[in-house]
Amino acid sequence: MDIRHLTYFLEVARLKSFTKAAESLYVSQPTISKMIKNLEEELGVELFYRNGRQIELTDAGESMYIQGKEITKSFQNLTSEINDLMNVKKGHIRIGLPPMIGSGFFPRVMGDFRKKYPNVTFQLFEHGSITVQNSVGEGSLDIGVVVLPANEEIFHKFTIVEENLMLIVHPSHPFANEKEVELKDLHDQSFVFFREDFVLHDRITMECVKAGFHPTVIYETSQWDFISEMVYANLGIGLLPERICRDLDPEKVRKIPLVNPSIPWHLGIIWRKDRYLPFAARAWIDHTTSYMWRSVRK
Protein backbone atom coordinates (compact mmCIF):
# COMPACT_ATOMS: atom_id res chain seq x y z
CA MET A 1 0.00 0.00 0.00
CA ASP A 2 1.25 3.50 -0.77
CA ILE A 3 -0.16 6.99 -0.35
CA ARG A 4 -1.60 6.91 -3.87
CA HIS A 5 -3.74 3.86 -3.02
CA LEU A 6 -5.13 5.73 -0.04
CA THR A 7 -5.78 8.87 -2.05
CA TYR A 8 -7.79 6.94 -4.66
CA PHE A 9 -9.70 5.03 -2.00
CA LEU A 10 -10.60 8.17 -0.06
CA GLU A 11 -11.84 9.95 -3.17
CA VAL A 12 -14.09 7.01 -4.14
CA ALA A 13 -15.42 6.86 -0.58
CA ARG A 14 -16.04 10.61 -0.48
CA LEU A 15 -17.86 10.77 -3.82
CA LYS A 16 -19.38 7.27 -3.57
CA SER A 17 -18.58 6.79 -7.23
CA PHE A 18 -15.69 5.30 -9.18
CA THR A 19 -16.59 7.45 -12.19
CA LYS A 20 -16.67 10.72 -10.27
CA ALA A 21 -13.46 9.84 -8.41
CA ALA A 22 -11.71 9.14 -11.73
CA GLU A 23 -12.83 12.50 -13.06
CA SER A 24 -11.74 14.28 -9.87
CA LEU A 25 -8.29 12.67 -9.95
CA TYR A 26 -7.85 12.94 -13.74
CA VAL A 27 -7.28 9.22 -14.20
CA SER A 28 -9.25 6.52 -15.99
CA GLN A 29 -11.96 4.57 -14.21
CA PRO A 30 -10.22 1.22 -14.83
CA THR A 31 -7.14 2.62 -13.08
CA ILE A 32 -9.22 3.54 -10.03
CA SER A 33 -10.96 0.16 -10.01
CA LYS A 34 -7.66 -1.71 -10.29
CA MET A 35 -6.12 0.29 -7.46
CA ILE A 36 -9.06 -0.42 -5.15
CA LYS A 37 -9.02 -4.13 -6.07
CA ASN A 38 -5.29 -4.34 -5.34
CA LEU A 39 -5.84 -2.62 -2.01
CA GLU A 40 -8.62 -5.03 -1.06
CA GLU A 41 -6.49 -8.03 -2.03
CA GLU A 42 -3.57 -6.72 -0.01
CA LEU A 43 -5.72 -6.17 3.09
CA GLY A 44 -7.82 -9.33 2.58
CA VAL A 45 -11.14 -7.50 3.03
CA GLU A 46 -13.77 -5.80 0.90
CA LEU A 47 -13.83 -2.04 1.29
CA PHE A 48 -16.97 -1.36 -0.75
CA TYR A 49 -20.11 -3.27 -1.49
CA ARG A 50 -22.12 -2.58 -4.60
CA ASN A 51 -25.87 -2.08 -4.55
CA GLY A 52 -26.78 -1.65 -8.16
CA ARG A 53 -25.11 1.53 -9.32
CA GLN A 54 -24.57 2.68 -5.76
CA ILE A 55 -21.53 1.83 -3.66
CA GLU A 56 -21.23 1.93 0.10
CA LEU A 57 -18.39 1.40 2.53
CA THR A 58 -18.18 -1.87 4.40
CA ASP A 59 -17.34 -1.79 8.11
CA ALA A 60 -13.70 -2.44 7.13
CA GLY A 61 -14.04 0.36 4.59
CA GLU A 62 -15.36 2.70 7.28
CA SER A 63 -12.33 2.00 9.46
CA MET A 64 -10.07 2.42 6.46
CA TYR A 65 -11.72 5.74 5.64
CA ILE A 66 -11.26 7.15 9.16
CA GLN A 67 -7.65 6.03 9.48
CA GLY A 68 -6.84 6.84 5.86
CA LYS A 69 -7.85 10.47 6.30
CA GLU A 70 -5.50 10.77 9.27
CA ILE A 71 -2.65 9.11 7.39
CA THR A 72 -2.99 11.33 4.32
CA LYS A 73 -3.34 14.40 6.51
CA SER A 74 -0.12 13.47 8.31
CA PHE A 75 1.59 12.84 4.98
CA GLN A 76 0.45 16.22 3.65
CA ASN A 77 1.68 17.91 6.84
CA LEU A 78 5.02 16.12 6.51
CA THR A 79 5.35 17.16 2.87
CA SER A 80 4.49 20.74 3.78
CA GLU A 81 6.94 20.70 6.70
CA ILE A 82 9.77 19.40 4.53
CA ASN A 83 8.97 21.96 1.84
CA ASP A 84 9.06 24.74 4.44
CA LEU A 85 12.40 23.50 5.75
CA MET A 86 13.91 23.18 2.29
CA ASN A 87 12.81 26.71 1.42
CA VAL A 88 13.93 27.95 4.88
CA LYS A 89 10.44 29.13 5.76
CA LYS A 90 11.12 27.69 9.21
CA GLY A 91 13.94 26.00 11.08
CA HIS A 92 16.09 26.12 14.19
CA ILE A 93 19.84 26.81 14.39
CA ARG A 94 22.11 26.03 17.34
CA ILE A 95 25.14 28.31 17.30
CA GLY A 96 28.10 28.57 19.67
CA LEU A 97 29.71 32.01 20.09
CA PRO A 98 32.64 33.30 22.14
CA PRO A 99 31.26 35.80 24.68
CA MET A 100 33.51 38.58 23.42
CA ILE A 101 31.74 38.79 20.07
CA GLY A 102 28.17 38.18 21.19
CA SER A 103 27.34 41.89 21.35
CA GLY A 104 29.26 43.05 18.29
CA PHE A 105 29.25 41.73 14.76
CA PHE A 106 26.75 38.87 14.98
CA PRO A 107 23.63 40.72 16.15
CA ARG A 108 23.82 42.70 12.90
CA VAL A 109 24.22 39.53 10.83
CA MET A 110 21.38 37.79 12.65
CA GLY A 111 19.12 40.82 12.36
CA ASP A 112 19.71 40.91 8.62
CA PHE A 113 19.09 37.15 8.38
CA ARG A 114 15.84 37.38 10.37
CA LYS A 115 14.46 39.95 7.93
CA LYS A 116 14.94 37.40 5.17
CA TYR A 117 13.88 34.33 7.16
CA PRO A 118 11.54 35.58 9.94
CA ASN A 119 10.39 32.11 11.08
CA VAL A 120 13.85 30.67 11.69
CA THR A 121 14.77 30.59 15.38
CA PHE A 122 18.19 30.66 17.03
CA GLN A 123 19.59 29.05 20.15
CA LEU A 124 22.84 30.73 21.16
CA PHE A 125 25.46 29.20 23.44
CA GLU A 126 28.20 31.47 24.73
CA HIS A 127 31.38 29.52 25.49
CA GLY A 128 35.08 29.72 24.82
CA SER A 129 36.35 28.43 21.48
CA ILE A 130 37.55 25.11 22.91
CA THR A 131 34.10 24.26 24.28
CA VAL A 132 32.36 25.50 21.12
CA GLN A 133 34.61 23.41 18.88
CA ASN A 134 34.06 20.31 21.02
CA SER A 135 30.28 20.87 20.98
CA VAL A 136 30.17 21.19 17.18
CA GLY A 137 32.31 18.07 16.96
CA GLU A 138 29.94 16.14 19.23
CA GLY A 139 26.86 17.38 17.36
CA SER A 140 25.19 19.35 20.17
CA LEU A 141 25.74 22.52 18.08
CA ASP A 142 25.13 22.93 14.34
CA ILE A 143 27.61 25.76 13.84
CA GLY A 144 30.36 27.31 15.92
CA VAL A 145 32.29 30.57 15.82
CA VAL A 146 35.80 29.88 17.07
CA VAL A 147 39.29 31.29 17.18
CA LEU A 148 41.19 29.68 14.33
CA PRO A 149 42.86 27.41 13.48
CA ALA A 150 40.38 24.53 13.76
CA ASN A 151 40.89 20.87 12.88
CA GLU A 152 40.50 20.93 9.09
CA GLU A 153 40.17 17.15 8.89
CA ILE A 154 36.92 17.39 10.86
CA PHE A 155 35.50 20.84 10.12
CA HIS A 156 34.61 23.02 7.19
CA LYS A 157 35.49 26.63 7.97
CA PHE A 158 34.95 30.15 6.73
CA THR A 159 37.15 32.96 8.07
CA ILE A 160 35.22 36.06 9.13
CA VAL A 161 37.74 38.15 11.11
CA GLU A 162 41.53 38.54 10.84
CA GLU A 163 42.91 40.81 13.55
CA ASN A 164 45.61 40.94 16.22
CA LEU A 165 45.47 41.30 19.98
CA MET A 166 46.24 44.68 21.51
CA LEU A 167 47.67 45.54 24.90
CA ILE A 168 45.38 47.49 27.22
CA VAL A 169 46.71 49.32 30.27
CA HIS A 170 45.60 51.91 32.81
CA PRO A 171 46.17 55.55 31.70
CA SER A 172 48.77 55.90 34.48
CA HIS A 173 50.72 52.83 33.36
CA PRO A 174 54.33 53.41 32.16
CA PHE A 175 53.36 51.98 28.75
CA ALA A 176 50.25 54.16 28.37
CA ASN A 177 51.81 56.59 25.89
CA GLU A 178 53.90 54.11 23.93
CA LYS A 179 53.17 53.70 20.20
CA GLU A 180 53.84 49.97 20.44
CA VAL A 181 55.08 47.46 22.99
CA GLU A 182 57.07 44.28 22.50
CA LEU A 183 55.75 41.16 24.18
CA LYS A 184 59.01 40.51 26.05
CA ASP A 185 58.62 43.86 27.82
CA LEU A 186 55.59 42.47 29.67
CA HIS A 187 57.62 39.91 31.61
CA ASP A 188 57.14 41.64 34.98
CA GLN A 189 53.48 42.57 34.50
CA SER A 190 50.35 41.14 36.15
CA PHE A 191 47.87 39.81 33.56
CA VAL A 192 44.10 39.52 33.55
CA PHE A 193 43.44 36.45 31.39
CA PHE A 194 40.62 34.61 29.73
CA ARG A 195 39.74 31.25 31.28
CA GLU A 196 41.39 27.99 30.23
CA ASP A 197 38.48 27.00 27.94
CA PHE A 198 39.40 29.97 25.74
CA VAL A 199 41.96 29.41 22.99
CA LEU A 200 43.52 32.79 23.83
CA HIS A 201 44.49 31.54 27.29
CA ASP A 202 46.89 28.95 25.91
CA ARG A 203 47.92 31.03 22.91
CA ILE A 204 49.00 34.04 24.97
CA THR A 205 50.77 31.81 27.47
CA MET A 206 52.62 30.02 24.67
CA GLU A 207 53.75 33.28 23.06
CA CYS A 208 54.94 34.63 26.42
CA VAL A 209 56.97 31.49 27.03
CA LYS A 210 58.52 31.86 23.58
CA ALA A 211 59.41 35.45 24.51
CA GLY A 212 61.28 34.19 27.57
CA PHE A 213 58.86 34.40 30.50
CA HIS A 214 55.79 32.77 32.00
CA PRO A 215 52.96 35.30 32.53
CA THR A 216 51.84 36.16 36.05
CA VAL A 217 48.05 35.76 35.96
CA ILE A 218 46.10 37.39 38.77
CA TYR A 219 42.54 36.90 37.44
CA GLU A 220 40.83 34.67 34.90
CA THR A 221 37.41 35.38 33.41
CA SER A 222 35.10 34.56 30.49
CA GLN A 223 34.10 38.20 29.97
CA TRP A 224 36.15 40.73 28.01
CA ASP A 225 34.41 43.65 29.76
CA PHE A 226 35.58 42.28 33.12
CA ILE A 227 39.15 42.33 31.79
CA SER A 228 38.81 45.97 30.73
CA GLU A 229 37.25 46.91 34.09
CA MET A 230 40.10 45.23 35.97
CA VAL A 231 42.58 47.20 33.87
CA TYR A 232 40.59 50.39 34.53
CA ALA A 233 40.89 49.62 38.25
CA ASN A 234 44.68 49.45 37.69
CA LEU A 235 44.83 45.84 38.88
CA GLY A 236 46.70 44.46 35.89
CA ILE A 237 47.10 44.54 32.11
CA GLY A 238 45.08 42.74 29.46
CA LEU A 239 45.27 41.59 25.86
CA LEU A 240 42.10 42.02 23.80
CA PRO A 241 41.21 41.84 20.09
CA GLU A 242 41.29 45.05 18.06
CA ARG A 243 37.54 44.81 17.50
CA ILE A 244 36.87 44.94 21.24
CA CYS A 245 39.42 47.68 21.84
CA ARG A 246 37.67 50.03 19.41
CA ASP A 247 34.77 50.37 21.84
CA LEU A 248 36.85 50.98 24.98
CA ASP A 249 36.82 54.43 26.60
CA PRO A 250 40.30 55.97 26.08
CA GLU A 251 39.81 57.93 29.31
CA LYS A 252 39.65 54.64 31.21
CA VAL A 253 42.13 52.40 29.39
CA ARG A 254 44.78 52.85 26.74
CA LYS A 255 45.16 50.44 23.84
CA ILE A 256 48.60 49.85 22.36
CA PRO A 257 49.70 47.63 19.44
CA LEU A 258 51.62 44.56 20.56
CA VAL A 259 54.64 43.60 18.43
CA ASN A 260 57.54 41.15 18.23
CA PRO A 261 55.49 39.08 18.04
CA SER A 262 51.97 40.22 17.34
CA ILE A 263 49.39 37.64 18.45
CA PRO A 264 46.73 36.87 15.81
CA TRP A 265 43.03 36.69 16.55
CA HIS A 266 41.33 35.05 13.59
CA LEU A 267 37.70 34.06 13.87
CA GLY A 268 35.93 31.53 11.69
CA ILE A 269 32.63 29.72 11.34
CA ILE A 270 33.00 25.94 11.57
CA TRP A 271 30.69 22.98 10.94
CA ARG A 272 31.26 19.24 10.71
CA LYS A 273 32.27 17.79 7.36
CA ASP A 274 30.66 14.41 7.97
CA ARG A 275 27.39 15.40 9.63
CA TYR A 276 24.03 16.49 8.25
CA LEU A 277 23.54 20.25 8.38
CA PRO A 278 19.94 21.59 8.58
CA PHE A 279 18.68 23.71 5.70
CA ALA A 280 18.35 26.77 7.97
CA ALA A 281 21.97 26.40 9.13
CA ARG A 282 23.16 26.16 5.52
CA ALA A 283 21.21 29.31 4.66
CA TRP A 284 22.75 31.10 7.65
CA ILE A 285 26.28 30.18 6.53
CA ASP A 286 25.52 31.36 2.98
CA HIS A 287 24.01 34.57 4.33
CA THR A 288 26.95 35.28 6.64
CA THR A 289 29.44 34.57 3.86
CA SER A 290 27.59 36.98 1.56
CA TYR A 291 27.34 39.56 4.35
CA MET A 292 31.09 39.43 4.89
CA TRP A 293 31.84 39.86 1.19
CA ARG A 294 29.51 42.88 1.05
CA SER A 295 31.24 44.36 4.10
CA VAL A 296 34.69 43.87 2.52
CA ARG A 297 33.63 45.62 -0.69
CA LYS A 298 32.30 48.69 1.09
Side-chain angles (χ1 to χ4, degrees):
M1 184 195 314
D2 59 29
I3 198 68
R4 189 172 48 157
H5 284 88
L6 277 178
T7 301
Y8 286 7
F9 164 77
L10 291 173
E11 194 67 358
V12 173
R14 184 178 73 86
L15 297 173
K16 295 184 177 181
S17 168
F18 283 87
T19 302
K20 291 180 180 178
E23 292 173 353
S24 173
L25 295 168
Y26 300 100
V27 296
S28 67
Q29 183 173 331
T31 298
I32 290 276
S33 299
K34 184 178 180 180
M35 283 285 188
I36 298 301
K37 183 179 179 181
N38 290 343
L39 190 57
E40 289 177 327
E41 289 177 352
E42 181 179 347
L43 296 173
V45 295
E46 289 188 358
L47 299 173
F48 297 99
Y49 67 88
R50 284 76 172 171
N51 183 14
R53 293 187 175 181
Q54 300 294 317
I55 61 171
E56 299 289 341
L57 288 168
T58 63
D59 53 354
E62 289 284 359
S63 296
M64 184 76 172
Y65 184 67
I66 295 170
Q67 296 299 322
K69 285 195 297 184
E70 292 300 315
I71 291 170
T72 54
K73 181 180 178 181
S74 296
F75 182 80
Q76 289 165 357
N77 288 341
L78 175 61
T79 302
S80 177
E81 183 84 8
I82 290 174
N83 183 62
D84 284 349
L85 289 171
M86 290 179 66
N87 291 288
V88 201
K89 292 180 180 178
K90 62 174 64 175
H92 185 69
I93 310 173
R94 303 167 301 170
I95 303 179
L97 295 173
M100 72 180 72
I101 64 167
S103 60
F105 168 75
F106 277 93
R108 295 195 299 274
V109 177
M110 290 175 181
D112 199 39
F113 182 86
R114 286 277 294 168
K115 290 177 184 177
K116 190 174 182 181
Y117 305 107
N119 294 319
V120 173
T121 57
F122 289 92
Q123 191 171 7
L124 301 180
F125 297 82
E126 287 193 298
H127 296 289
S129 288
I130 295 174
T131 301
V132 170
Q133 188 168 156
N134 289 339
S135 297
V136 175
E138 293 165 0
S140 57
L141 294 177
D142 301 311
I143 303 167
V145 178
V146 300
V147 177
L148 299 174
N151 189 333
E152 295 190 8
E153 292 184 2
I154 298 175
F155 302 107
H156 290 295
K157 71 173 178 66
F158 172 71
T159 303
I160 55 174
V161 174
E162 291 184 314
E163 296 181 349
N164 292 323
L165 298 184
M166 297 191 75
L167 172 66
I168 60 169
V169 300
H170 189 270
S172 66
H173 193 280
F175 294 151
N177 297 315
E178 296 291 333
K179 291 184 178 180
E180 60 184 30
V181 174
E182 294 189 11
L183 182 59
K184 64 181 178 60
D185 294 332
L186 305 180
H187 68 279
D188 59 349
Q189 299 294 311
S190 297
F191 286 79
V192 184
F193 254 39
F194 286 104
R195 290 187 328 221
E196 290 185 355
D197 62 327
F198 284 71
V199 169
L200 288 180
H201 180 283
D202 290 346
R203 185 164 297 171
I204 294 171
T205 300
M206 179 181 67
E207 292 298 339
C208 289
V209 170
K210 287 181 180 178
F213 69 98
H214 197 283
T216 300
V217 180
I218 56 171
Y219 295 101
E220 291 186 356
T221 179
S222 63
Q223 303 297 325
W224 67 264
D225 52 349
F226 183 78
I227 293 176
S228 64
E229 287 299 320
M230 294 292 283
V231 172
Y232 173 55
N234 206 13
L235 295 174
I237 65 170
L239 296 174
L240 290 176
E242 294 173 40
R243 175 175 304 270
I244 301 299
C245 291
R246 293 187 200 121
D247 297 327
L248 298 180
D249 185 349
E251 297 298 320
K252 292 185 175 182
V253 297
R254 299 289 170 80
K255 54 188 179 183
I256 309 152
L258 186 66
V259 297
N260 293 329
S262 58
I263 301 178
W265 187 71
H266 297 172
L267 284 182
I269 301 169
I270 62 167
W271 61 101
R272 284 284 304 228
K273 288 183 174 181
D274 60 350
R275 184 168 284 127
Y276 172 77
L277 192 65
F279 288 104
R282 298 179 207 178
W284 189 83
I285 291 170
D286 290 342
H287 173 81
T288 305
T289 303
S290 175
Y291 188 98
M292 288 303 301
W293 279 116
R294 292 198 306 270
S295 298
V296 169
R297 289 179 177 179
K298 289 180 179 179

